[in-house]
Amino acid sequence: MKDNKKPHFLNFSPLLAENYMITNGQKKFRTKQLLDWVYKKRINSFDDCSDLSAEFREKLKNDFTLYTFEIKDKKVSALDGSIRYYFSTAHGDEVITVFMPNPERNTICLSSQVGCPVKCTFCASGSVDFKRNLTRGEILEQLLQVERDTKLSTDSVLFMGMGEPLMNYENVVNAVHSLTSPEQFAYGRRKIVISTAGLVPQIEKLSQENISVKLALSLHGADDETRRKIVPSIIPYKVEDILQAGLNYGRQTKSSVTIEYVLIEGINDDLQQAEKLADLIQEYLYRTDRLKINIIPHNPTGVDRFKRPSDEKIQSFKDCFMRRDLTAIIRESKGTDIGAACGQLTI
Ligand code: SF4
């Protein structure tokens, strides 16, 4: 197990790093050098910072831990090459990250919590007891570790792994600041997606942050009764309020919004649900809003008895939206054979 006593360097914002440098007698421009080593050149150790003095490199090593995770296990999908990583943290917790390589765009799915307090009934992550929020540094370290291991760069970052990102609001928002900071990861805002099971106050707060990332609303039902079969009352908000908050977020930040709908046989796959959801969307949608419905056929998890609807049913569900000129996509998950698909992440 790695050292968990020293501060994790990845928890530091560029401003805090600069304060540290100045406090320790380093010139301001040295901060950029240090951040370049960590975030652009992806060093293994502070020993590699060749333009910093040997004495100061020693100090960095004494003051910080650069990496806190170990790769405990990794599985590669024979179907699509997705990789599921199991990391063990410096505290002995387990974190799961999924990397989905693609010739056009490599995508990573980050976890934000150890376990998940929401416990959606279709989701294996919900069966893992919630232990704690991941820190900013632990969220970012998933990306660095995966890129170091695969030697590939990541084009899109999804906060769709284990945990409800908006229940770990501060660390997730700070991680997004690092992801978009030119001094750190330098991602475009539109390359990042935060998903939420529908925490209305946090969605409203997020629209006030200067981050404007894409938002994915995990709705899974068109009315409260149906949604409640899937998303427990720890998320107490009504479907209409979640939808409105999401669309307002899209308007205020000029970001696109996706509705995620895990389709489960006999639970939420009635075509009336599709019609109802289309009615609701059209009631709140402005012509300028960019909105897409992702229909995700249920993936087996081993912790539920839910089933994927037939292909005909899935297509009919999608057609209900298309007939109304709404964009709907049937999203087949990656990594179903290694438990890396949507709803399958568990420790
Ligand atoms: S779907 Fe998301 S919010 Fe629901 S239990 Fe799984 S990880 Fe948690």
Side-chain angles (χ1 to χ4, degrees):
M1 206 181 290
K2 295 259 173 99
D3 182 357
N4 66 6
K5 304 223 168 47
K6 295 181 204 166
H8 191 184
F9 185 78
L10 305 182
N11 277 327
F12 275 50
S13 65
L15 188 62
L16 279 177
E18 186 177 290
N19 287 344
Y20 169 85
M21 298 297 270
I22 290 169
T23 310
N24 287 286
Q26 299 295 306
K27 295 262 190 291
K28 208 170 159 182
F29 75 91
R30 296 273 179 217
T31 311
K32 182 173 180 331
Q33 288 177 323
L34 175 59
L35 294 177
D36 276 357
W37 283 113
V38 173
Y39 293 104
K40 313 272 192 243
K41 297 173 195 153
R42 307 288 167 89
I43 47 168
N44 290 317
S45 147
F46 291 118
D47 284 329
D48 300 335
C49 303
S50 56
D51 50 10
L52 300 177
S53 71
E55 192 190 344
F56 190 64
R57 278 181 263 159
E58 212 46 47
K59 172 145 187 66
L60 284 168
K61 274 166 46 190
N62 284 332
D63 287 352
F64 297 108
T65 308
L66 184 53
Y67 294 111
T68 62
F69 287 0
E70 278 168 8
I71 299 176
K72 207 172 148 196
D73 192 16
K74 117 181 164 184
K75 289 193 168 65
V76 182
S77 167
L79 298 175
D80 51 45
S82 298
I83 311 173
R84 170 181 162 140
Y85 286 90
Y86 290 79
F87 295 112
S88 86
T89 72
H91 301 272
D93 296 320
E94 288 182 12
V95 172
I96 298 180
T97 310
V98 178
F99 184 71
M100 293 160 278
N102 181 292
E104 283 166 22
R105 188 178 57 178
N106 296 327
T107 303
I108 196 166
C109 190
L110 301 178
S111 290
S112 53
Q113 297 182 306
V114 180
C116 183
V118 179
K119 302 196 174 301
C120 300
T121 51
F122 72 89
C123 175
S125 297
S127 68
V128 180
D129 283 342
F130 171 67
K131 271 181 102 172
R132 67 178 178 90
N133 287 331
L134 293 176
T135 64
R136 172 190 197 147
E138 288 171 323
I139 293 169
L140 299 173
E141 184 169 343
Q142 295 171 62
L143 200 157
L144 287 178
Q145 290 276 7
V146 167
E147 290 196 346
R148 272 154 46 100
D149 188 62
T150 59
K151 314 232 173 345
L152 293 170
S153 59
T154 306
D155 303 297
S156 308
V157 181
L158 314 179
F159 284 84
M160 290 189 177
M162 188 177 281
E164 159 57 57
L166 296 188
M167 279 186 174
N168 184 12
Y169 187 91
E170 201 179 323
N171 290 330
V172 166
V173 167
N174 282 333
V176 171
H177 283 307
S178 289
L179 290 169
T180 54
S181 161
E183 293 147 301
Q184 295 176 278
F185 292 90
Y187 280 101
R189 288 151 195 254
R190 308 298 192 223
K191 302 287 182 194
I192 300 168
V193 184
I194 293 183
S195 81
T196 176
L199 287 166
V200 171
Q202 284 85 342
I203 295 171
E204 289 167 351
K205 193 171 168 199
L206 195 66
S207 63
Q208 307 303 317
E209 307 276 356
N210 185 26
I211 53 172
S212 308
V213 295
K214 291 183 180 174
L215 185 69
L217 299 174
S218 297
L219 221 48
H220 313 314
D223 54 55
D224 298 324
E225 197 188 333
T226 306
R227 180 174 143 89
R228 207 41 86 223
K229 293 179 195 164
I230 299 161
V231 183
S233 55
I234 186 168
I235 309 282
Y237 306 100
K238 289 174 170 296
V239 168
E240 293 180 25
D241 295 341
I242 297 167
L243 194 56
Q244 280 212 49
L247 289 172
N248 284 339
Y249 172 90
R251 259 164 236 149
Q252 283 168 26
T253 61
K254 299 189 174 48
S255 311
S256 57
V257 174
T258 308
I259 293 176
E260 306 288 321
Y261 198 106
V262 169
L263 202 61
I264 307 172
E265 186 184 84
I267 301 290
N268 64 353
D269 64 340
D270 194 313
L271 297 189
Q272 280 180 2
Q273 284 293 307
E275 296 294 351
K276 232 187 224 184
L277 185 53
D279 283 345
L280 266 183
I281 292 169
Q282 287 184 322
E283 188 178 329
Y284 299 132
L285 201 67
Y286 294 172
R287 296 187 78 174
T288 51
D289 290 337
R290 273 172 296 164
L291 182 126
K292 181 175 75 178
I293 301 121
N294 270 343
I295 299 164
I296 308 159
H298 176 60
N299 295 304
T301 63
V303 297
D304 64 39
R305 276 191 241 120
F306 293 155
K307 287 198 186 118
R308 173 192 171 108
S310 67
D311 288 349
E312 294 73 32
K313 191 70 183 273
I314 296 168
Q315 188 59 45
S316 307
F317 203 84
K318 175 187 168 184
D319 290 344
C320 293
F321 297 107
M322 302 303 276
R323 276 197 298 274
R324 308 273 204 103
D325 280 337
L326 294 168
T327 308
I329 291 168
I330 298 169
R331 215 185 69 195
E332 294 294 350
S333 300
K334 305 254 187 191
T336 48
D337 57 331
I338 53 165
C342 179
Q344 288 186 323
L345 297 189
T346 186
I347 292 166

